[in-house]
Amino acid sequence: VWVSDKARLRTDPATGAPHLTGVTVDITARKLAEEDVRTSEELVRTIAENSTQALVMMDERGHCTYANRACLEMTGYDADEIRQKPLHDLIHHHHPDGRPYPKAECPIDRALPENFELRAHEDLFFRKDGSTFPVLCAASPIFRDGRPVSTVIEIRDVAAAKQTLDELRRSEERFRRLFEQAGDAILVTKLDGRILEANPAACAILGHRAEELIGRNAVEVVDPSSLPRASTWRADLDRGGVVHSERIMVCKDGRRVIVEGHERTMNDGTSLWMFRDVTERRRMEDALRESEQRFRTMANDAPIMIWVTHPDGGIQFVNQAYASFFGTTLESVRDDGWQPLVHPDDVDTYVAAFMTSLRTRTSFRAQARVRRADGAWRWIDSLGRPRFLPSGEFLGSAGCSFD
């Protein structure tokens, strides 16, 4: 136990002998309480010194009475430079635009005399070297006997967070520009198919305004004939793949358009579907196939031999009259398989004239003896003309030969 002794020297009135009179008090409870206070203060200081957040205390004058290690590292001051100095004059003396910041206007310094708490306050603080850093801070008055006597301030350097937010904002702006200006149609949907966003290209294809599409399910603008295939797309998307698709879409005015594109699931749980209208391309492809079929039908019905070559001279097509005359097939005469059919005395001259026409991309005409299917040598007269795309690309030669 702890005790406290108090004694007084007295003199016996009868004998004159000195003696002590005292009181012994048990102070164990008080000592234990003081030890608890010291332990608590040490714990609080340990927590404060090891906190990653800057912690500062100011007295009623606005002078710094304590700054933890994180605060000193954040501001560049040491403890002696900041202690008992006006905190505002050290780290908060100017506005972000460079104007002086009077202490009387500072909401952090006003927290104590005006007895209010400051929460999530964004500001700009200064380091010892004059550089600045954005902060998020809070200030709370501390009371003693019902009277505010100091202010505790928590400071968080948010430079890295603001940089991340700025980069995210710039990324979102870039995406938004890409989304709005993309030539391809883009629909952003939830996994259940509900449309969240539609870019101008999608609206142009479907004939809807964006607000008319948002909130609807994407299947509402897909022709039912495309839906059976669509049922397998969800499984592919759930596996994290990119689904390439061709669908028939229903426009606002009832028109059907063929679109081609791909869809993928994003990390935020949405689906991004990019597509383009290929209706005209499909129509042209169908027309080309039909035209080629007409050509083959007409060529095969013609009594003379008709042939078409690639740009390098390889045979691309021969008609039925050609195959019957020589007793051969297209596969047999591909590339330069037709040259052995020419008489040995004529082949060099005939082939040279033919290859020259390809190289110069000009018309071709030549005569030569060739071996017919029955083995007889027959004279043929061949005429060919170069073929070009509208773009000017050379496709080869097309011509005919007759006995």
Side-chain angles (χ1 to χ4, degrees), residues 312-353:
D312 62 358
I315 298 296
Q316 180 181 354
F317 169 80
V318 295
N319 72 340
Q320 187 60 48
Y322 186 106
S324 298
F325 183 88
F326 288 106
T328 188
T329 62
L330 175 61
E331 287 69 26
S332 300
V333 296
R334 284 190 188 277
D335 299 326
D336 56 358
W338 56 272
Q339 294 182 17
L341 300 174
V342 183
H343 193 282
D345 293 342
D346 301 335
V347 65
D348 291 342
T349 303
Y350 187 88
V351 171

mmCIF file of all heavy atoms in Angstrom, residues 312-353:
data_model
loop_
_atom_site.group_PDB
_atom_site.id
_atom_site.type_symbol
_atom_site.label_atom_id
_atom_site.label_comp_id
_atom_site.label_asym_id
_atom_site.label_seq_id
_atom_site.Cartn_x
_atom_site.Cartn_y
_atom_site.Cartn_z
ATOM 1 N N ASP A 312 -1.890 -12.534 -110.904
ATOM 2 C CA ASP A 312 -0.622 -13.198 -111.239
ATOM 3 C C ASP A 312 -0.749 -14.163 -112.415
ATOM 4 O O ASP A 312 0.222 -14.828 -112.781
ATOM 5 C CB ASP A 312 -0.070 -13.948 -110.025
ATOM 6 C CG ASP A 312 -1.018 -15.061 -109.547
ATOM 7 O OD1 ASP A 312 -2.104 -15.216 -110.141
ATOM 8 O OD2 ASP A 312 -0.672 -15.740 -108.562
ATOM 9 N N GLY A 313 -1.953 -14.276 -113.000
ATOM 10 C CA GLY A 313 -2.155 -15.140 -114.140
ATOM 11 C C GLY A 313 -2.752 -16.487 -113.813
ATOM 12 O O GLY A 313 -3.094 -17.254 -114.733
ATOM 13 N N GLY A 314 -2.866 -16.815 -112.534
ATOM 14 C CA GLY A 314 -3.483 -18.072 -112.152
ATOM 15 C C GLY A 314 -4.958 -18.093 -112.530
ATOM 16 O O GLY A 314 -5.646 -17.075 -112.444
ATOM 17 N N ILE A 315 -5.439 -19.246 -112.975
ATOM 18 C CA ILE A 315 -6.822 -19.336 -113.429
ATOM 19 C C ILE A 315 -7.780 -19.304 -112.241
ATOM 20 O O ILE A 315 -7.644 -20.075 -111.293
ATOM 21 C CB ILE A 315 -7.032 -20.629 -114.237
ATOM 22 C CG1 ILE A 315 -6.146 -20.631 -115.485
ATOM 23 C CG2 ILE A 315 -8.503 -20.785 -114.642
ATOM 24 C CD1 ILE A 315 -6.466 -19.540 -116.474
ATOM 25 N N GLN A 316 -8.767 -18.423 -112.319
ATOM 26 C CA GLN A 316 -9.784 -18.296 -111.277
ATOM 27 C C GLN A 316 -11.088 -18.982 -111.674
ATOM 28 O O GLN A 316 -11.803 -19.527 -110.827
ATOM 29 C CB GLN A 316 -10.035 -16.808 -110.989
ATOM 30 C CG GLN A 316 -11.068 -16.536 -109.912
ATOM 31 C CD GLN A 316 -11.270 -15.038 -109.695
ATOM 32 O OE1 GLN A 316 -10.562 -14.221 -110.262
ATOM 33 N NE2 GLN A 316 -12.243 -14.690 -108.862
ATOM 34 N N PHE A 317 -11.390 -18.973 -112.963
ATOM 35 C CA PHE A 317 -12.657 -19.549 -113.431
ATOM 36 C C PHE A 317 -12.508 -19.978 -114.892
ATOM 37 O O PHE A 317 -11.862 -19.292 -115.705
ATOM 38 C CB PHE A 317 -13.791 -18.526 -113.317
ATOM 39 C CG PHE A 317 -15.061 -18.926 -114.018
ATOM 40 C CD1 PHE A 317 -15.943 -19.819 -113.431
ATOM 41 C CD2 PHE A 317 -15.360 -18.426 -115.294
ATOM 42 C CE1 PHE A 317 -17.107 -20.215 -114.094
ATOM 43 C CE2 PHE A 317 -16.518 -18.807 -115.953
ATOM 44 C CZ PHE A 317 -17.394 -19.701 -115.348
ATOM 45 N N VAL A 318 -13.097 -21.138 -115.219
ATOM 46 C CA VAL A 318 -13.271 -21.545 -116.618
ATOM 47 C C VAL A 318 -14.707 -22.045 -116.759
ATOM 48 O O VAL A 318 -15.268 -22.630 -115.833
ATOM 49 C CB VAL A 318 -12.271 -22.645 -117.038
ATOM 50 C CG1 VAL A 318 -10.839 -22.114 -117.010
ATOM 51 C CG2 VAL A 318 -12.396 -23.887 -116.165
ATOM 52 N N ASN A 319 -15.306 -21.793 -117.926
ATOM 53 C CA ASN A 319 -16.702 -22.230 -118.106
ATOM 54 C C ASN A 319 -16.777 -23.673 -118.590
ATOM 55 O O ASN A 319 -15.759 -24.344 -118.825
ATOM 56 C CB ASN A 319 -17.441 -21.278 -119.035
ATOM 57 C CG ASN A 319 -16.993 -21.406 -120.487
ATOM 58 O OD1 ASN A 319 -15.904 -21.920 -120.751
ATOM 59 N ND2 ASN A 319 -17.820 -20.932 -121.416
ATOM 60 N N GLN A 320 -17.993 -24.127 -118.759
ATOM 61 C CA GLN A 320 -18.210 -25.519 -119.135
ATOM 62 C C GLN A 320 -17.660 -25.816 -120.531
ATOM 63 O O GLN A 320 -17.113 -26.895 -120.790
ATOM 64 C CB GLN A 320 -19.715 -25.833 -119.086
ATOM 65 C CG GLN A 320 -20.041 -27.303 -119.291
ATOM 66 C CD GLN A 320 -19.406 -28.188 -118.234
ATOM 67 O OE1 GLN A 320 -19.510 -27.894 -117.046
ATOM 68 N NE2 GLN A 320 -18.746 -29.273 -118.658
ATOM 69 N N ALA A 321 -17.763 -24.838 -121.458
ATOM 70 C CA ALA A 321 -17.248 -25.040 -122.818
ATOM 71 C C ALA A 321 -15.740 -25.248 -122.787
ATOM 72 O O ALA A 321 -15.189 -26.088 -123.531
ATOM 73 C CB ALA A 321 -17.602 -23.841 -123.702
ATOM 74 N N TYR A 322 -15.022 -24.499 -121.927
ATOM 75 C CA TYR A 322 -13.569 -24.632 -121.774
ATOM 76 C C TYR A 322 -13.238 -26.036 -121.261
ATOM 77 O O TYR A 322 -12.363 -26.735 -121.800
ATOM 78 C CB TYR A 322 -13.073 -23.557 -120.809
ATOM 79 C CG TYR A 322 -11.575 -23.467 -120.639
ATOM 80 C CD1 TYR A 322 -10.850 -22.427 -121.212
ATOM 81 C CD2 TYR A 322 -10.874 -24.406 -119.889
ATOM 82 C CE1 TYR A 322 -9.475 -22.325 -121.047
ATOM 83 C CE2 TYR A 322 -9.501 -24.317 -119.724
ATOM 84 C CZ TYR A 322 -8.802 -23.282 -120.305
ATOM 85 O OH TYR A 322 -7.435 -23.200 -120.128
ATOM 86 N N ALA A 323 -13.960 -26.458 -120.183
ATOM 87 C CA ALA A 323 -13.690 -27.762 -119.579
ATOM 88 C C ALA A 323 -13.963 -28.894 -120.567
ATOM 89 O O ALA A 323 -13.203 -29.882 -120.643
ATOM 90 C CB ALA A 323 -14.526 -27.924 -118.318
ATOM 91 N N SER A 324 -15.031 -28.749 -121.365
ATOM 92 C CA SER A 324 -15.384 -29.805 -122.318
ATOM 93 C C SER A 324 -14.383 -29.861 -123.470
ATOM 94 O O SER A 324 -13.994 -30.951 -123.921
ATOM 95 C CB SER A 324 -16.796 -29.560 -122.860
ATOM 96 O OG SER A 324 -17.741 -29.613 -121.817
ATOM 97 N N PHE A 325 -13.950 -28.702 -123.940
ATOM 98 C CA PHE A 325 -13.028 -28.653 -125.074
ATOM 99 C C PHE A 325 -11.705 -29.326 -124.735
ATOM 100 O O PHE A 325 -11.162 -30.111 -125.519
ATOM 101 C CB PHE A 325 -12.798 -27.197 -125.496
ATOM 102 C CG PHE A 325 -11.920 -27.050 -126.697
ATOM 103 C CD1 PHE A 325 -12.452 -27.083 -127.992
ATOM 104 C CD2 PHE A 325 -10.540 -26.891 -126.567
ATOM 105 C CE1 PHE A 325 -11.632 -26.947 -129.100
ATOM 106 C CE2 PHE A 325 -9.725 -26.764 -127.676
ATOM 107 C CZ PHE A 325 -10.262 -26.792 -128.953
ATOM 108 N N PHE A 326 -11.201 -29.012 -123.520
ATOM 109 C CA PHE A 326 -9.893 -29.554 -123.142
ATOM 110 C C PHE A 326 -10.002 -30.858 -122.348
ATOM 111 O O PHE A 326 -8.980 -31.503 -122.075
ATOM 112 C CB PHE A 326 -9.110 -28.529 -122.310
ATOM 113 C CG PHE A 326 -8.609 -27.364 -123.105
ATOM 114 C CD1 PHE A 326 -9.206 -26.115 -122.991
ATOM 115 C CD2 PHE A 326 -7.546 -27.524 -123.987
ATOM 116 C CE1 PHE A 326 -8.733 -25.031 -123.728
ATOM 117 C CE2 PHE A 326 -7.065 -26.438 -124.723
ATOM 118 C CZ PHE A 326 -7.670 -25.183 -124.597
ATOM 119 N N GLY A 327 -11.222 -31.220 -121.966
ATOM 120 C CA GLY A 327 -11.383 -32.425 -121.164
ATOM 121 C C GLY A 327 -10.706 -32.297 -119.811
ATOM 122 O O GLY A 327 -10.041 -33.239 -119.341
ATOM 123 N N THR A 328 -10.872 -31.140 -119.193
ATOM 124 C CA THR A 328 -10.172 -30.863 -117.931
ATOM 125 C C THR A 328 -11.139 -30.253 -116.924
ATOM 126 O O THR A 328 -12.335 -30.119 -117.191
ATOM 127 C CB THR A 328 -8.973 -29.920 -118.185
ATOM 128 O OG1 THR A 328 -8.205 -29.801 -116.998
ATOM 129 C CG2 THR A 328 -9.457 -28.535 -118.628
ATOM 130 N N THR A 329 -10.605 -29.885 -115.753
ATOM 131 C CA THR A 329 -11.405 -29.236 -114.708
ATOM 132 C C THR A 329 -10.683 -27.973 -114.248
ATOM 133 O O THR A 329 -9.491 -27.766 -114.553
ATOM 134 C CB THR A 329 -11.574 -30.169 -113.485
ATOM 135 O OG1 THR A 329 -10.293 -30.449 -112.924
ATOM 136 C CG2 THR A 329 -12.265 -31.470 -113.895
ATOM 137 N N LEU A 330 -11.399 -27.138 -113.499
ATOM 138 C CA LEU A 330 -10.790 -25.918 -112.979
ATOM 139 C C LEU A 330 -9.588 -26.242 -112.100
ATOM 140 O O LEU A 330 -8.549 -25.568 -112.162
ATOM 141 C CB LEU A 330 -11.835 -25.107 -112.182
ATOM 142 C CG LEU A 330 -11.314 -23.856 -111.458
ATOM 143 C CD1 LEU A 330 -10.738 -22.862 -112.473
ATOM 144 C CD2 LEU A 330 -12.433 -23.197 -110.644
ATOM 145 N N GLU A 331 -9.714 -27.283 -111.267
ATOM 146 C CA GLU A 331 -8.620 -27.638 -110.371
ATOM 147 C C GLU A 331 -7.372 -28.021 -111.160
ATOM 148 O O GLU A 331 -6.240 -27.766 -110.742
ATOM 149 C CB GLU A 331 -9.041 -28.801 -109.464
ATOM 150 C CG GLU A 331 -10.024 -28.430 -108.359
ATOM 151 C CD GLU A 331 -11.396 -28.080 -108.902
ATOM 152 O OE1 GLU A 331 -11.729 -28.573 -110.005
ATOM 153 O OE2 GLU A 331 -12.120 -27.294 -108.246
ATOM 154 N N SER A 332 -7.538 -28.632 -112.327
ATOM 155 C CA SER A 332 -6.391 -29.081 -113.122
ATOM 156 C C SER A 332 -5.643 -27.932 -113.765
ATOM 157 O O SER A 332 -4.428 -28.024 -114.014
ATOM 158 C CB SER A 332 -6.851 -30.059 -114.205
ATOM 159 O OG SER A 332 -7.462 -31.202 -113.629
ATOM 160 N N VAL A 333 -6.329 -26.848 -114.077
ATOM 161 C CA VAL A 333 -5.680 -25.749 -114.792
ATOM 162 C C VAL A 333 -5.369 -24.549 -113.907
ATOM 163 O O VAL A 333 -4.929 -23.512 -114.396
ATOM 164 C CB VAL A 333 -6.557 -25.289 -115.976
ATOM 165 C CG1 VAL A 333 -6.693 -26.405 -116.996
ATOM 166 C CG2 VAL A 333 -7.933 -24.814 -115.500
ATOM 167 N N ARG A 334 -5.610 -24.676 -112.602
ATOM 168 C CA ARG A 334 -5.282 -23.564 -111.683
ATOM 169 C C ARG A 334 -3.794 -23.232 -111.798
ATOM 170 O O ARG A 334 -2.971 -24.056 -112.177
ATOM 171 C CB ARG A 334 -5.605 -23.933 -110.241
ATOM 172 C CG ARG A 334 -7.093 -23.886 -109.920
ATOM 173 C CD ARG A 334 -7.312 -24.025 -108.411
ATOM 174 N NE ARG A 334 -8.719 -24.170 -108.092
ATOM 175 C CZ ARG A 334 -9.573 -23.162 -107.974
ATOM 176 N NH1 ARG A 334 -9.158 -21.926 -108.189
ATOM 177 N NH2 ARG A 334 -10.836 -23.383 -107.674
ATOM 178 N N ASP A 335 -3.447 -22.020 -111.372
ATOM 179 C CA ASP A 335 -2.068 -21.524 -111.478
ATOM 180 C C ASP A 335 -1.653 -21.599 -112.949
ATOM 181 O O ASP A 335 -2.316 -21.034 -113.801
ATOM 182 C CB ASP A 335 -1.135 -22.313 -110.557
ATOM 183 C CG ASP A 335 -1.562 -22.179 -109.083
ATOM 184 O OD1 ASP A 335 -2.060 -21.096 -108.727
ATOM 185 O OD2 ASP A 335 -1.403 -23.141 -108.325
ATOM 186 N N ASP A 336 -0.575 -22.321 -113.277
ATOM 187 C CA ASP A 336 -0.139 -22.392 -114.680
ATOM 188 C C ASP A 336 -0.394 -23.781 -115.275
ATOM 189 O O ASP A 336 0.267 -24.212 -116.227
ATOM 190 C CB ASP A 336 1.342 -22.041 -114.811
ATOM 191 C CG ASP A 336 2.219 -22.941 -113.941
ATOM 192 O OD1 ASP A 336 1.668 -23.801 -113.226
ATOM 193 O OD2 ASP A 336 3.457 -22.755 -113.965
ATOM 194 N N GLY A 337 -1.386 -24.493 -114.733
ATOM 195 C CA GLY A 337 -1.684 -25.847 -115.213
ATOM 196 C C GLY A 337 -2.233 -25.890 -116.618
ATOM 197 O O GLY A 337 -2.349 -26.977 -117.207
ATOM 198 N N TRP A 338 -2.560 -24.730 -117.191
ATOM 199 C CA TRP A 338 -3.091 -24.700 -118.553
ATOM 200 C C TRP A 338 -1.979 -24.684 -119.608
ATOM 201 O O TRP A 338 -2.206 -25.021 -120.775
ATOM 202 C CB TRP A 338 -3.979 -23.461 -118.762
ATOM 203 C CG TRP A 338 -3.264 -22.156 -118.460
ATOM 204 C CD1 TRP A 338 -3.169 -21.521 -117.274
ATOM 205 C CD2 TRP A 338 -2.535 -21.356 -119.399
ATOM 206 N NE1 TRP A 338 -2.438 -20.373 -117.379
ATOM 207 C CE2 TRP A 338 -2.037 -20.238 -118.689
ATOM 208 C CE3 TRP A 338 -2.250 -21.464 -120.759
ATOM 209 C CZ2 TRP A 338 -1.264 -19.248 -119.280
ATOM 210 C CZ3 TRP A 338 -1.493 -20.467 -121.366
ATOM 211 C CH2 TRP A 338 -1.003 -19.383 -120.626
ATOM 212 N N GLN A 339 -0.766 -24.308 -119.224
ATOM 213 C CA GLN A 339 0.305 -24.127 -120.217
ATOM 214 C C GLN A 339 0.688 -25.420 -120.950
ATOM 215 O O GLN A 339 0.995 -25.384 -122.156
ATOM 216 C CB GLN A 339 1.536 -23.496 -119.549
ATOM 217 C CG GLN A 339 1.272 -22.081 -119.061
ATOM 218 C CD GLN A 339 2.505 -21.424 -118.447
ATOM 219 O OE1 GLN A 339 3.632 -21.880 -118.658
ATOM 220 N NE2 GLN A 339 2.297 -20.344 -117.696
ATOM 221 N N PRO A 340 0.668 -26.593 -120.274
ATOM 222 C CA PRO A 340 0.991 -27.823 -121.027
ATOM 223 C C PRO A 340 0.000 -28.147 -122.139
ATOM 224 O O PRO A 340 0.285 -28.992 -123.006
ATOM 225 C CB PRO A 340 0.963 -28.902 -119.930
ATOM 226 C CG PRO A 340 1.275 -28.163 -118.671
ATOM 227 C CD PRO A 340 0.600 -26.839 -118.832
ATOM 228 N N LEU A 341 -1.166 -27.465 -122.125
ATOM 229 C CA LEU A 341 -2.156 -27.712 -123.183
ATOM 230 C C LEU A 341 -1.764 -27.022 -124.484
ATOM 231 O O LEU A 341 -2.342 -27.318 -125.542
ATOM 232 C CB LEU A 341 -3.536 -27.225 -122.735
ATOM 233 C CG LEU A 341 -4.113 -27.883 -121.467
ATOM 234 C CD1 LEU A 341 -5.417 -27.194 -121.074
ATOM 235 C CD2 LEU A 341 -4.352 -29.382 -121.697
ATOM 236 N N VAL A 342 -0.795 -26.113 -124.462
ATOM 237 C CA VAL A 342 -0.378 -25.353 -125.642
ATOM 238 C C VAL A 342 0.738 -26.122 -126.359
ATOM 239 O O VAL A 342 1.622 -26.718 -125.733
ATOM 240 C CB VAL A 342 0.109 -23.942 -125.234
ATOM 241 C CG1 VAL A 342 0.466 -23.132 -126.489
ATOM 242 C CG2 VAL A 342 -0.985 -23.223 -124.434
ATOM 243 N N HIS A 343 0.707 -26.072 -127.649
ATOM 244 C CA HIS A 343 1.705 -26.792 -128.471
ATOM 245 C C HIS A 343 3.109 -26.305 -128.095
ATOM 246 O O HIS A 343 3.337 -25.099 -127.915
ATOM 247 C CB HIS A 343 1.441 -26.524 -129.956
ATOM 248 C CG HIS A 343 2.187 -27.437 -130.870
ATOM 249 N ND1 HIS A 343 3.521 -27.278 -131.169
ATOM 250 C CD2 HIS A 343 1.771 -28.553 -131.575
ATOM 251 C CE1 HIS A 343 3.909 -28.226 -131.984
ATOM 252 N NE2 HIS A 343 2.845 -29.027 -132.254
ATOM 253 N N PRO A 344 4.085 -27.227 -128.024
ATOM 254 C CA PRO A 344 5.451 -26.829 -127.647
ATOM 255 C C PRO A 344 6.049 -25.752 -128.544
ATOM 256 O O PRO A 344 6.840 -24.923 -128.069
ATOM 257 C CB PRO A 344 6.237 -28.142 -127.767
ATOM 258 C CG PRO A 344 5.216 -29.219 -127.562
ATOM 259 C CD PRO A 344 3.947 -28.701 -128.165
ATOM 260 N N ASP A 345 5.693 -25.717 -129.803
ATOM 261 C CA ASP A 345 6.255 -24.711 -130.706
ATOM 262 C C ASP A 345 5.627 -23.324 -130.490
ATOM 263 O O ASP A 345 6.189 -22.319 -130.948
ATOM 264 C CB ASP A 345 6.057 -25.131 -132.167
ATOM 265 C CG ASP A 345 6.877 -26.369 -132.540
ATOM 266 O OD1 ASP A 345 7.835 -26.666 -131.774
ATOM 267 O OD2 ASP A 345 6.534 -27.017 -133.544
ATOM 268 N N ASP A 346 4.446 -23.279 -129.819
ATOM 269 C CA ASP A 346 3.734 -21.998 -129.644
ATOM 270 C C ASP A 346 3.732 -21.489 -128.202
ATOM 271 O O ASP A 346 3.413 -20.321 -127.956
ATOM 272 C CB ASP A 346 2.267 -22.155 -130.092
ATOM 273 C CG ASP A 346 2.154 -22.580 -131.555
ATOM 274 O OD1 ASP A 346 3.097 -22.307 -132.324
ATOM 275 O OD2 ASP A 346 1.119 -23.184 -131.897
ATOM 276 N N VAL A 347 4.066 -22.360 -127.264
ATOM 277 C CA VAL A 347 3.839 -22.022 -125.861
ATOM 278 C C VAL A 347 4.630 -20.799 -125.406
ATOM 279 O O VAL A 347 4.101 -19.934 -124.701
ATOM 280 C CB VAL A 347 4.130 -23.248 -124.948
ATOM 281 C CG1 VAL A 347 5.603 -23.638 -124.986
ATOM 282 C CG2 VAL A 347 3.690 -22.969 -123.522
ATOM 283 N N ASP A 348 5.913 -20.693 -125.813
ATOM 284 C CA ASP A 348 6.719 -19.560 -125.331
ATOM 285 C C ASP A 348 6.156 -18.222 -125.798
ATOM 286 O O ASP A 348 6.021 -17.270 -125.030
ATOM 287 C CB ASP A 348 8.163 -19.718 -125.808
ATOM 288 C CG ASP A 348 8.882 -20.875 -125.123
ATOM 289 O OD1 ASP A 348 8.380 -21.317 -124.058
ATOM 290 O OD2 ASP A 348 9.930 -21.312 -125.626
ATOM 291 N N THR A 349 5.813 -18.151 -127.078
ATOM 292 C CA THR A 349 5.275 -16.886 -127.618
ATOM 293 C C THR A 349 3.925 -16.554 -127.006
ATOM 294 O O THR A 349 3.650 -15.397 -126.629
ATOM 295 C CB THR A 349 5.148 -16.994 -129.148
ATOM 296 O OG1 THR A 349 6.415 -17.322 -129.710
ATOM 297 C CG2 THR A 349 4.636 -15.691 -129.743
ATOM 298 N N TYR A 350 3.079 -17.576 -126.901
ATOM 299 C CA TYR A 350 1.721 -17.368 -126.363
ATOM 300 C C TYR A 350 1.781 -16.923 -124.895
ATOM 301 O O TYR A 350 1.141 -15.933 -124.505
ATOM 302 C CB TYR A 350 0.932 -18.663 -126.510
ATOM 303 C CG TYR A 350 -0.538 -18.556 -126.145
ATOM 304 C CD1 TYR A 350 -1.476 -18.188 -127.097
ATOM 305 C CD2 TYR A 350 -0.977 -18.844 -124.855
ATOM 306 C CE1 TYR A 350 -2.827 -18.085 -126.778
ATOM 307 C CE2 TYR A 350 -2.316 -18.751 -124.521
ATOM 308 C CZ TYR A 350 -3.243 -18.368 -125.473
ATOM 309 O OH TYR A 350 -4.581 -18.283 -125.146
ATOM 310 N N VAL A 351 2.557 -17.637 -124.085
ATOM 311 C CA VAL A 351 2.649 -17.307 -122.649
ATOM 312 C C VAL A 351 3.276 -15.932 -122.451
ATOM 313 O O VAL A 351 2.852 -15.156 -121.593
ATOM 314 C CB VAL A 351 3.428 -18.401 -121.894
ATOM 315 C CG1 VAL A 351 3.709 -17.959 -120.455
ATOM 316 C CG2 VAL A 351 2.651 -19.711 -121.898
ATOM 317 N N ALA A 352 4.318 -15.602 -123.259
ATOM 318 C CA ALA A 352 4.975 -14.298 -123.126
ATOM 319 C C ALA A 352 3.993 -13.163 -123.397
ATOM 320 O O ALA A 352 3.955 -12.151 -122.684
ATOM 321 C CB ALA A 352 6.172 -14.218 -124.075
ATOM 322 N N ALA A 353 3.172 -13.311 -124.424
ATOM 323 C CA ALA A 353 2.185 -12.272 -124.747
ATOM 324 C C ALA A 353 1.153 -12.143 -123.616
ATOM 325 O O ALA A 353 0.742 -11.033 -123.247
ATOM 326 C CB ALA A 353 1.500 -12.607 -126.075
#
